[in-house]
Amino acid sequence: MLRRIAALSAVLLWAAPARAQDLAELCRGLMRPPVGAWSQFRVAGGRAAGATMRMSVVGSESRGDTTLLWLEFAARGMPLGLPDSSADTLLIVNKLLVTGFGPGMAQPREHVMKLGGAPAMTMPVGAGSPGAQPLQDCSDGKVLGWSSVTVPGGTFRAMHVQDANGQSDAWVAPDLPFGLVKVTMGSDPTDSGQMVLVGHGTDAKSQITETPRPYDPQLLMQLLMGGKRNN
């Protein structure tokens, strides 16, 4: 699921040759959302229809000369591709210690996950871990201009950005914590959807309040396969 998050984050960073400066300036301002910022989204259409995603900045931490952000992504209803689809009903919270939103998510320093009502656990980080994969190259996209976009969370003046393959579009507003107003996902008409903003604010608190236990792959799989029992 974090790969899906990373892909959505990469949408912010597609630069068109004619508008690269405009988009680059906008993206630089979105890479360090303030602590407390949050945006809530809902998916309409496709396999993930009805799913929700909440992006939050729930803290900061100094490591040497660098101030890192704790970004939290809480999702419910995102298809996980497991034999027991009841796991798709779980509230899954991923908390990442990163240098920033977007490209800063590619190499998390720490990762904590919580599934439903089960205890949180630390997750391995590194080249093979979710969220540590390189984000999509940003240089081949296309900026289609600015427009007024209305979603359940309000009306915003947003930059319309399309990926190089014409398969995904995003509307990005500089006044929002994570910039995203609306994102279309997928080129397959039978499985395409939109992620739309439904609310945002400045009072985010972490949904992980307990001390996480050490990573236990067997327990993690048990929780995923028995998703309904841990809601």
Side-chain angles (χ1 to χ4, degrees):
M1 186 185 71
L2 281 180
R3 289 185 178 90
R4 178 186 291 269
I5 294 170
L8 293 175
S9 303
V11 168
L12 292 172
L13 305 167
W14 290 320
R19 299 283 184 83
Q21 185 174 2
D22 290 347
L23 184 56
E25 290 177 357
L26 186 151
C27 291
R28 278 195 295 271
L30 298 174
M31 289 173 62
R32 300 282 300 180
V35 173
W38 62 270
S39 289
Q40 177 97 11
F41 302 90
R42 183 176 67 242
V43 177
R47 289 189 305 125
T52 61
M53 168 72 75
R54 184 182 176 98
M55 303 180 181
S56 308
V57 186
V58 296
S60 63
E61 188 170 322
S62 296
R63 296 285 179 91
D65 295 332
T66 304
T67 299
L68 305 173
L69 297 179
W70 278 108
L71 298 186
E72 191 167 279
F73 301 87
R76 188 189 294 274
M78 291 289 185
L80 301 178
L82 296 171
D84 183 354
S85 61
S86 66
D88 296 348
T89 67
L90 279 171
L91 176 64
I92 302 178
V93 182
N94 284 283
K95 184 178 176 182
L96 305 170
L97 185 63
V98 296
T99 57
F101 183 59
M105 293 166 52
Q107 295 182 331
R109 306 290 183 88
E110 295 184 29
H111 177 194
V112 179
M113 177 185 284
K114 182 176 176 64
L115 301 177
M121 69 174 67
T122 59
M123 301 294 289
V125 295
S129 67
Q133 303 299 319
L135 293 178
Q136 180 174 340
D137 183 79
C138 312
S139 60
D140 297 327
K142 183 178 181 181
V143 176
L144 301 182
W146 290 82
S147 61
S148 177
V149 180
T150 298
V151 292
T155 299
F156 306 90
R157 183 174 181 269
M159 179 184 286
H160 182 185
V161 185
Q162 187 177 77
D163 78 336
N165 298 319
Q167 296 182 357
S168 295
D169 292 76
W171 285 260
V172 185
D175 296 333
L176 290 172
F178 299 91
L180 295 174
V181 177
K182 180 171 69 171
V183 178
T184 62
M185 302 173 291
S187 58
D188 183 350
T190 65
D191 189 31
S192 60
Q194 288 189 345
M195 187 176 78
V196 296
L197 181 74
V198 297
H200 62 96
T202 59
D203 57 349
K205 303 293 183 183
S206 178
Q207 298 187 52
I208 299 177
T209 57
E210 72 269 28
T211 300
R213 64 173 59 183
Y215 175 59
D216 183 337
Q218 292 183 337
L219 175 60
L220 178 62
M221 185 54 62
Q222 290 173 5
L223 294 173
L224 288 171
M225 298 305 292
K228 283 189 176 179
R229 290 194 300 273
N230 296 287
N231 262 331

